[in-house]
Amino acid sequence: MSHIESKKLRIAIIGGGLGGLTCACALRNTTNLDIDLYEAADEIAEVGAGVTVWPRTWKLLRSMGIEQNMIDVLKDKPTEEPKLAFTFRKSDQPNGITFKRMLSYGGVATFHRADVQQALLKEVPPFCKIHLSHRLGSIYEEEDCVNLHFLNGNTATCDLLIGADGIKSVVRQHLHALPNNGITYTGTVAFRGLIPVEKLPTTYSDNRQRDDSVIYCGDSKYIVRYPVSKGRLINVGAFCTRLSDVEKTFEGPTVRDATQEEMQREFVGWEPEVISLLKCIDKPTCWAIQDLKPLDSYISNRIVVIGDAAHAMTPHFGIGAGQAMEDAYVLGGLLCKLTCSEDVGALLKIYDDIRRPFTNRVLQNSRQQGLFYQFNMPGFRELVGNTTPEHLATLGDILTKRWSFAWNETAENDHQTAMSMLKTRVKL
């Protein structure tokens, strides 16, 4: 770097979720940093069930040398061969129709979120100190450092603050004075639950297996199912959208317990397979689906946000967790080269220039993807009440094409671009 300093640089990571933990893992091969990770809860425990990791993200986990712990909690090891990722069905009618079997190179790895978190925890470097019960209260950024004040009364100082504190991010609130902290209600709620795989049929009429991943599409609603925990459980999300509620203020808790009757009412008239699937969820929960308005910056001079703190997105692509990991990989690669506190701002600008345009685009496309599943995109309302083969074939091709970046592209390109920009912007 342009200057040499003998003291180690102090990195503070706010949030012990997938983004924060991956960021700590991405820094494990450097010796010039001290890392403190602050988690608001009294234990590292994720809320939510399912996580999908697509090939573009899996490749970076392999590059970081942390894939084995992830493989250990999978039913099948990822391959480079074309593999069934999802089967799409039109299900808002008594007789459902399979209209697309989407293949991807390597398929998609599906996890219980807690399994991913535990796998990452095993790879956190020993020089990363984890502080539990530290909920961030306020931030004071100075020219040469960032001062942190926690609600438990503790304080800390760092050279660089990484906000991985989720959609309700306190760090983002410091960077941007936005109404409702930039959070937007999408008009969608999701009923969620886990089903023991043995409660489901062994096979289905179109030769699907009991643990296959399926997306059931319909009028302003859809259901996604896929296996987690080595195939022992099936993760289910049943999404219901009211377009008139988009961007309205959501009233009530964003996560609550729901009843079987409430969930079943939403899917009256759907194919029997869907009704039977939902009946297997003993204790559904109901989640308000929110995302962020695209930000015009993820950084200040000494502060950066990653993952949901930067670009919380709807789950319709199943790639939000992957994007948090990719953020951490690119940012971590840059920070491993950091030796001088004065260069923090230049490195963060490289990260922002590379990741922000891409993740903001994925954020917006993810919301659109959900509208396609629910026949709410222009040109596809004709499918409501009909089974037009041409429209269904077109829809299947569109969904596959829009999703193909998840296996045809890689975050390694972002990493290499960041390293090239580093050479031109910062003197080594």
Side-chain angles (χ1 to χ4, degrees):
M1 293 291 176
S2 55
H3 305 279
I4 301 296
E5 296 181 358
S6 58
K7 68 175 185 178
K8 292 185 177 182
L9 294 166
R10 302 161 298 173
I11 307 293
I13 301 172
I14 305 297
L18 302 188
L21 290 176
T22 306
C23 196
C25 293
L27 298 172
R28 66 182 185 156
N29 293 324
T30 184
T31 59
N32 59 327
L33 302 175
D34 277 332
I35 307 171
D36 289 280
L37 188 150
Y38 299 94
E39 166 58 36
D42 57 7
E43 62 177 334
I44 300 283
E46 277 285 357
V47 177
V51 170
T52 53
V53 177
W54 292 87
R56 63 171 287 127
T57 305
W58 191 267
K59 291 174 183 176
L60 72 86
L61 297 175
R62 182 181 303 142
S63 178
M64 291 168 62
I66 62 175
E67 68 168 340
Q68 188 56 53
N69 287 331
M70 305 278 279
I71 291 173
D72 290 344
V73 294
L74 281 176
K75 179 184 177 184
D76 300 309
K77 182 178 179 179
T79 69
E80 299 297 328
E81 302 299 318
K83 185 179 178 182
L84 179 66
F86 279 100
T87 295
F88 291 94
R89 286 178 64 83
K90 186 180 189 298
S91 298
D92 60 342
Q93 56 196 50
N95 297 310
I97 300 173
T98 292
F99 65 90
K100 184 70 176 183
R101 298 182 191 275
M102 187 176 77
L103 302 179
S104 75
Y105 287 97
V108 55
T110 55
F111 300 89
H112 193 289
R113 186 173 291 265
D115 290 339
V116 179
Q117 196 160 34
Q118 290 305 309
L120 292 172
L121 272 171
K122 293 177 181 178
E123 302 293 344
V124 171
F127 56 86
C128 174
K129 300 174 185 176
I130 297 179
H131 309 264
L132 302 176
S133 302
H134 276 66
R135 184 175 297 279
L136 185 63
S138 61
I139 302 166
Y140 181 67
E141 184 177 7
E142 300 186 61
E143 183 177 345
D144 60 349
C145 67
V146 182
N147 299 301
L148 309 176
H149 296 264
F150 298 94
L151 296 185
N152 62 8
N154 290 340
T155 61
T157 302
C158 60
D159 298 302
L160 167 63
L161 173 63
I162 301 172
D165 50 341
I167 190 170
K168 297 179 180 179
S169 172
V170 175
V171 181
R172 182 179 67 250
Q173 202 164 27
H174 173 82
L175 294 178
H176 299 281
L178 298 171
N180 198 34
N181 201 9
I183 301 171
T184 300
Y185 176 48
T186 66
T188 300
V189 296
F191 297 94
R192 288 175 165 159
L194 293 168
I195 301 172
V197 69
E198 61 269 16
K199 294 180 71 171
L200 301 178
T202 305
T203 59
Y204 294 87
S205 58
D206 58 353
N207 296 319
R208 281 177 290 121
Q209 304 302 303
R210 72 195 319 177
D211 60 351
D212 278 359
S213 299
V214 184
I215 294 179
Y216 304 93
C217 301
D219 179 12
S220 295
K221 300 179 177 69
Y222 83 93
I223 299 169
V224 60
R225 52 169 282 182
Y226 54 82
V228 298
S229 298
K230 290 191 173 182
R232 294 188 295 267
L233 299 171
I234 302 298
N235 182 61
V236 179
F239 295 79
C240 308
T241 298
R242 290 175 176 79
L243 295 179
S244 59
D245 289 343
V246 174
E247 298 197 6
K248 285 186 176 179
T249 300
F250 183 80
E251 303 293 344
T254 55
V255 181
R256 62 175 176 83
D257 293 333
T259 65
Q260 262 281 335
E261 293 73 19
E262 177 188 7
M263 180 174 60
Q264 293 279 356
R265 279 197 303 269
E266 294 286 352
F267 294 91
V268 171
W270 282 51
E271 64 170 315
E273 180 180 325
V274 165
I275 303 304
S276 297
L277 179 72
L278 296 179
K279 284 181 179 179
C280 292
I281 302 176
D282 293 331
K283 297 180 179 179
T285 53
C286 185
W287 300 58
I289 304 302
Q290 302 179 106
D291 63 8
L292 287 183
K293 292 184 181 296
L295 301 179
D296 57 12
S297 173
Y298 291 170
I299 64 170
S300 65
N301 191 47
R302 292 188 175 272
I303 299 175
V304 58
V305 285
I306 68 172
D308 282 357
H311 44 71
M313 58 188 68
T314 59
H316 308 316
F317 266 140
I319 206 166
Q323 289 309 296
M325 292 176 173
E326 292 178 24
D327 288 347
Y329 177 60
V330 174
L331 180 61
L334 288 166
L335 295 181
C336 283
K337 304 293 184 181
L338 182 63
T339 59
C340 176
S341 177
E342 293 177 8
D343 292 326
V344 167
L347 293 188
L348 295 187
K349 184 65 167 61
I350 293 172
Y351 165 82
D352 192 53
D353 286 347
I354 292 173
R355 290 298 294 167
R356 179 171 46 83
F358 179 79
T359 49
N360 277 347
R361 186 165 65 250
V362 176
L363 186 165
Q364 293 172 304
N365 286 344
S366 182
R367 190 188 281 206
Q368 287 185 347
Q369 192 82 344
L371 296 177
F372 275 112
Y373 301 152
Q374 300 171 89
F375 310 150
N376 278 326
M377 285 298 284
F380 290 95
R381 289 301 296 169
E382 292 87 344
L383 285 171
V384 177
N386 295 303
T387 54
T388 311
E390 294 80 8
H391 269 67
L392 287 174
T394 300
L395 177 60
D397 291 342
I398 289 174
L399 292 174
T400 301
K401 183 177 180 180
R402 287 172 56 85
W403 225 329
S404 62
F405 78 98
W407 58 85
N408 285 335
E409 301 175 17
T410 172
E412 185 60 33
N413 294 335
D414 284 354
H415 174 75
Q416 294 300 329
T417 301
M419 293 299 102
S420 297
M421 294 172 69
L422 181 64
K423 293 178 182 178
T424 59
R425 295 191 186 183
V426 180
K427 294 181 180 179
L428 298 176

